[in-house]
């Protein structure tokens, strides 16, 4: 038993010595940019799906062919869409073109934010740490619960009456 322990300790010593230990260096991630100089990503939130393209420009955001202020009329929704650009200190440097389908305006704004964050990491892989720490790269998987039979809604029961 003691011989096995000694050989295991010797193996550990040789494995931990400078000769046997090799440090594996990973190459920095390459940007994923198409021939037109754009980065593309898909974002999702609730039932909304957004296809987002970014390219260097004046900072205009176009959603389904409309200006951001016309499509997302509420300031909160516009703030949600711009959050990744502000966090990465790239506001006003990229033109964003998005097509969104499904869901409501709140879900669509979240989908554009998710897609924009992913597209920024594809264009500049160095921004991944900043965007991930703010939680913009995580897909929010919460969706509406389905209605069950024998219930008024997903969980609500009908009013109980004894007579």
């Amino acid at each position: 038993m003691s011989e096995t322990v000694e050989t295991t300790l010797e193996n550990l010593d040789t494995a931990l010595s400078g000769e046997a230990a090799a440090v594996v260096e990973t190459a920095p991630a390459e940007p994923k940019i198409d021939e037109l100089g754009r980065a593309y990503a898909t974002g999702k939130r609730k039932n909304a799906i957004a296809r987002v393209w970014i390219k260097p420009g004046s900072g205009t955001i176009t959603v389904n062919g409309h200006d951001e202020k016309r499509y997302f009329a509420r300031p909160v929704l516009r703030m949600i869409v711009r959050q990744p650009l502000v966090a990465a200190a790239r506001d006003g440097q990229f033109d964003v073109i998005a097509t969104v389908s499904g869901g409501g305006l709140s879900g669509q704004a979240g989908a554009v934010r998710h897609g924009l964050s992913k597209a920024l990491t594809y264009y500049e892989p160095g921004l991944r740490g900043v965007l991930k720490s703010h939680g913009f790269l995580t897909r929010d998987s919460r969706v509406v619960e389905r209605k069950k039979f024998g219930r008024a809604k997903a969980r609500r029961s009908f009013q109980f009456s004894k007579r």
Side-chain angles (χ1 to χ4, degrees):
M1 175 90 178
S2 64
E3 294 174 8
T4 336
V5 172
E6 288 176 12
T7 56
T8 308
L9 289 175
E10 290 174 8
N11 291 339
L12 282 174
D13 287 339
T14 57
L16 294 176
S17 69
E19 304 165 355
V23 178
V24 179
E25 292 186 23
T26 57
E30 291 291 322
K32 297 178 184 177
I33 301 172
D34 64 4
E35 60 276 355
L36 299 175
R38 305 175 302 182
Y40 167 78
T42 304
K44 296 181 180 181
R45 170 78 171 100
K46 292 186 176 179
N47 282 334
I49 299 172
R51 298 182 303 161
V52 181
W53 290 267
I54 64 167
K55 61 182 179 181
S58 60
T60 60
I61 297 178
T62 308
V63 181
N64 288 351
H66 300 289
D67 183 45
E68 145 195 56
K69 290 185 179 181
R70 183 171 174 207
Y71 195 83
F72 295 120
R74 290 186 291 176
V76 173
L77 298 178
R78 289 198 300 271
M79 181 208 51
I80 287 173
V81 169
R82 287 193 174 270
Q83 277 179 336
L85 294 168
V86 172
R90 300 291 187 271
D91 199 16
Q93 296 180 16
F94 287 101
D95 288 341
V96 179
I97 298 146
T99 58
V100 194
S101 63
L105 285 177
S106 177
Q108 288 183 351
V112 171
R113 179 178 82 171
H114 184 229
L116 178 57
S117 303
K118 286 172 61 176
L120 278 170
T121 60
Y122 292 153
Y123 197 88
E124 288 185 52
L127 297 176
R128 181 171 173 81
V130 174
L131 295 172
K132 189 152 180 72
S133 66
H134 282 83
F136 298 142
L137 296 177
T138 305
R139 194 254 200 248
D140 192 353
S141 60
R142 296 176 295 171
V143 293
V144 177
E145 189 175 352
R146 75 172 190 89
K147 182 195 177 301
K148 280 77 170 186
F149 57 88
R151 298 271 176 172
K153 293 168 69 176
R155 297 185 181 208
R156 191 196 184 309
S157 300
F158 296 109
Q159 183 174 347
F160 177 76
S161 175
K162 217 168 192 183
R163 337 175 200 244

